Amino acid sequence: QVPLAESGGGSVQAGGSLRLSCSASVYIYRSACLRWFRQAPGKGREAVATIYSNSGVTTYAASVKGRFTISQDNAKNTVYLQMNNLQPEDTAKYYCAADSRPLGYCPPPDEMDTWGQGTLVTVSS
């Protein structure tokens, strides 16, 4: 089984919504946290949302706070990213990431060792 697999990307007009899914293997789902990242063409990678697996606590980048919601479904080993009021600047490839090591804590974004292949989101004005 692929450790992480994203789906749900697509093309929408500004103001629209999409829900991304990240299906995780049982092993990876036990990671202390799962994150959604995005990378726009010609730009660096940005961590947009984090969910801490045991507590369910969530954090967001300022650029998406109030518009994006990260959630988890433990029965399905799946993490979601609900994206509302999408804007052209949200256009990017979106990735989910976790850590396979039994760290007991959520590592910094740049230290996460397991990544999905990404799903493309395009928002037109």
Side-chain angles (χ1 to χ4, degrees), residues 51-95:
I51 188 163
Y52 293 83
S53 303
N54 289 334
S55 66
V57 170
T58 58
T59 62
Y60 298 92
S63 58
V64 306
K65 199 167 186 179
R67 300 187 298 123
F68 290 13
T69 303
I70 187 172
S71 62
Q72 59 187 11
D73 184 334
N74 294 332
K76 297 181 178 179
N77 294 345
T78 300
V79 174
Y80 301 99
L81 186 68
Q82 178 67 44
M83 306 185 296
N84 297 329
N85 191 22
L86 283 160
Q87 300 300 314
E89 54 265 33
D90 296 315
T91 294
K93 197 166 187 179
Y94 285 71
Y95 302 84

